[in-house]
């Protein structure tokens, strides 16, 4: 294989108007790991066989890249909190603090071109996104709330929204001034915590001023059919309907160029939601500790395949949108996976990862790539960041860019 340079990755595609800044990226997290024996693909290269769990993706063979062998060294031996570093590669433990996630690093590049630098969605509390100071970004859950933020005018009109934003900015300014005065009387340890707080306030201030500036830009128009399909709330018990509607919203956000970076967290590790749509009334987390019981294993297989089927719907929707000389999927990098490979053994090695999309022509898809077991997942993030236009050679605990994504 011949590794392409960062320049070759970043140039415009011949015969296409799409360039590096038009690439979209999404990160999707599956809680509690998978049943490895039915999930893992074993043969490398182009003529690999799809596993039982990944079979719904077979019709997209030419536009996806299953990846094996990667792990996060900082999460080895951990289970429920490995989700917190899934996109950061930081170390887990009381002595360590989280850092910026790969999606937010991408948002620093593409966010200047879009209404929202990134979009965070989570069915439960928290999100996959973290700032450089280790602050977890909040996420949206309700589909109607997500729709409104993307496509509806603010309540009360633009003038009222601008007044509210400027009032908020004024409060933030006053807050910063007061805190700086108090900092003169603080200890070194307290000042460290204060610096983290001040960073959060400054980021809120930037976000507020940014929202003010975008008020003068008209919101994108969408069809009535898209509005009816996505502008609604769905009960948590209707998992498939909810997942597909969220995926539809992500497609619309990318298509309308409202944002170019998104993350989706179905649940935190330890989530015990049931999946009655596939005849699994038991809790997911409890089943992940299957202890080899066939009845539990079969239910885990159903859950794994159910999630992959929803992801396949997302891939299909992205592929259906024409863009330039190709499709929206061609200009995307969509990472689907988990921070746990086997929930029963709390195993964090050989993470189950699938990368969908061609990254604007910078990824040679249609192959299953197996890496050495010592390869950090952050090497993949370096390669994705480079393809998203970030001038980086490292990220987290990476040892370099991931080889073989291009031939």
């Amino acid at each position: 294989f011949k590794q392409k340079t960062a320049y070759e990755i970043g140039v415009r595609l011949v015969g296409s108007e799409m360039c590096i800044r038009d690439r979209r990226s999404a990160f999707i997290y599956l809680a509690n790991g998978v049943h490895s024996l039915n999930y893992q693909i074993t043969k490398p290269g182009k003529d690999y066989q799809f596993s039982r769990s990944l079979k719904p993706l077979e019709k997209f063979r030419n536009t996806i890249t299953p990846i094996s062998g990667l792990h996060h060294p900082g999460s080895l031996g951990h289970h429920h909190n490995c989700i917190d570093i899934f996109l950061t590669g930081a170390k887990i433990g009381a002595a360590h603090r989280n850092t910026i996630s790969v999606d937010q690093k991408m948002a620093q590049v593409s966010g200047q071109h879009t209404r929202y630098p990134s979009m965070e969605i989570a069915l439960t509390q928290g999100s996959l996104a973290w700032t450089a100071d280790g602050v977890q970004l909040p996420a949206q859950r309700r589909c109607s709330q997500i729709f409104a933020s993307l496509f509806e005018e603010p309540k009360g009109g633009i003038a009222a929204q601008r007044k509210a934003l400027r009032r908020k900015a004024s409060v933030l300014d006053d807050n910063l001034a007061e805190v700086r005065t108090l900092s003169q009387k603080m200890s070194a340890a307290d000042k460290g915590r204060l610096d983290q707080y001040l960073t959060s306030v400054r980021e809120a201030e930037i976000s507020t001023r940014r929202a003010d500036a975008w008020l003068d830009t008209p919101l994108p128009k969408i069809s009535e059919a898209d509005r009816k399909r996505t502008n609604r709330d769905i009960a948590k018990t209707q998992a498939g309907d909810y997942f597909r509607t969220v995926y539809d919203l992500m497609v619309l956000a990318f298509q309308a160029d409202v944002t170019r970076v998104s993350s989706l967290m179905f649940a935190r590790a330890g989530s015990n939601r049931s999946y009655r749509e596939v005849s699994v009334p038991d809790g997911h987390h409890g089943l992940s500790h299957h202890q080899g019981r066939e009845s539990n294993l079969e239910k885990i297989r159903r859950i794994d395949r159910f999630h992959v089927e929803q992801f396949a719907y997302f891939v299909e929707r992205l592929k259906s949108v024409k863009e330039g000389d190709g499709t929206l999927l061609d200009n995307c990098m969509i990472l689907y996976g988990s921070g746990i490979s086997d929930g029963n053994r709390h195993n964090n090695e050989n993470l189950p990862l699938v990368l969908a999309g061609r990254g604007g022509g910078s990824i040679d898809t249609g192959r299953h790539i197996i890496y050495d077991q010592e390869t950090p997942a952050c090497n993949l993030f370096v390669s994705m960041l480079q393809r998203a236009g970030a001038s980086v050679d490292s990220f987290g605990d990476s040892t370099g860019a991931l080889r073989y994504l291009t031939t």
Side-chain angles (χ1 to χ4, degrees), residues 89-346:
K91 292 183 178 180
I92 295 176
H96 306 288
R97 190 176 73 180
N98 215 343
T99 184
I100 192 168
S101 51
V102 61
D103 62 313
Q104 293 307 296
K105 194 73 175 176
M106 288 180 173
Q108 291 177 354
V109 177
S110 63
Q112 59 185 307
H113 305 293
T114 58
R115 185 177 295 270
Y116 298 113
S118 62
M119 181 170 68
E120 291 73 46
I121 305 173
L123 186 55
T124 54
Q125 292 183 340
S127 75
L128 297 176
W130 295 78
T131 70
D133 286 286
V135 177
Q136 189 178 41
L137 295 180
Q140 300 180 92
R141 190 198 74 78
R142 293 171 50 210
C143 294
S144 62
Q145 176 192 21
I146 299 168
F147 180 89
S149 69
L150 296 173
F151 303 115
E152 289 189 346
E153 296 289 349
K155 291 182 179 179
I158 292 177
Q161 180 72 358
R162 173 163 283 131
K163 184 177 180 180
L165 287 170
R166 292 184 178 178
R167 186 186 305 117
K168 180 180 178 181
S170 178
V171 170
L172 290 171
D173 287 339
D174 292 343
N175 194 16
L176 282 173
E178 183 178 352
V179 170
R180 289 192 181 105
T181 300
L182 291 173
S183 68
Q184 300 172 8
K185 305 173 184 179
M186 291 182 175
S187 65
D190 287 338
K191 283 185 177 180
R193 288 188 287 270
L194 178 64
D195 286 342
Q196 185 175 353
Y197 170 74
L198 287 173
T199 299
S200 299
V201 174
R202 281 192 291 269
E203 288 173 348
E205 188 175 31
I206 292 171
S207 177
T208 300
R209 298 189 187 284
R210 175 191 179 88
D212 189 334
W214 273 93
L215 284 176
D216 294 322
T217 302
L219 289 166
K221 303 296 183 183
I222 65 169
S223 69
E224 188 60 28
D226 285 333
R227 179 182 296 273
K228 288 182 178 179
R229 189 171 65 249
T230 57
N231 187 18
R232 58 197 181 98
D233 287 326
I234 302 161
K236 289 183 179 181
T237 54
Q238 298 175 279
D241 195 11
Y242 175 82
F243 296 159
R244 290 189 295 274
T245 304
V246 167
Y247 280 139
D248 283 335
L249 285 163
M250 292 170 66
V251 171
L252 289 174
F254 284 168
Q255 185 178 3
D257 207 23
V258 179
T259 188
R260 296 175 188 170
V261 180
S262 182
S263 64
L264 171 59
M265 182 178 75
F266 291 134
R268 292 191 62 83
S271 166
N272 221 23
R273 69 171 299 128
S274 60
Y275 291 81
R276 297 182 182 276
E277 289 169 283
V278 287
S279 302
V280 181
D282 315 71
H284 189 190
H285 178 247
L287 289 171
S288 71
H289 297 287
H290 50 73
Q291 298 180 327
R293 296 193 184 102
E294 180 56 33
S295 59
N296 289 343
L297 288 172
E298 176 56 30
K299 292 173 182 176
I300 286 291
R301 294 180 196 120
R302 292 180 197 167
I303 294 173
D304 290 346
R305 187 177 177 106
F306 172 78
H307 277 285
V308 174
E309 286 172 348
Q310 312 315 310
F311 179 61
Y313 172 83
F314 183 37
V315 175
E316 178 70 59
R317 292 281 290 110
L318 290 168
K319 189 176 180 180
S320 70
V321 178
K322 300 300 179 184
E323 192 170 77
D325 295 334
T327 69
L328 180 55
L329 179 62
D330 291 332
N331 294 308
C332 283
M333 295 181 287
I334 313 294
L335 183 64
Y336 174 88
S338 179
I340 307 170
S341 53
D342 186 339
N344 187 55
R345 295 186 295 127
H346 287 193

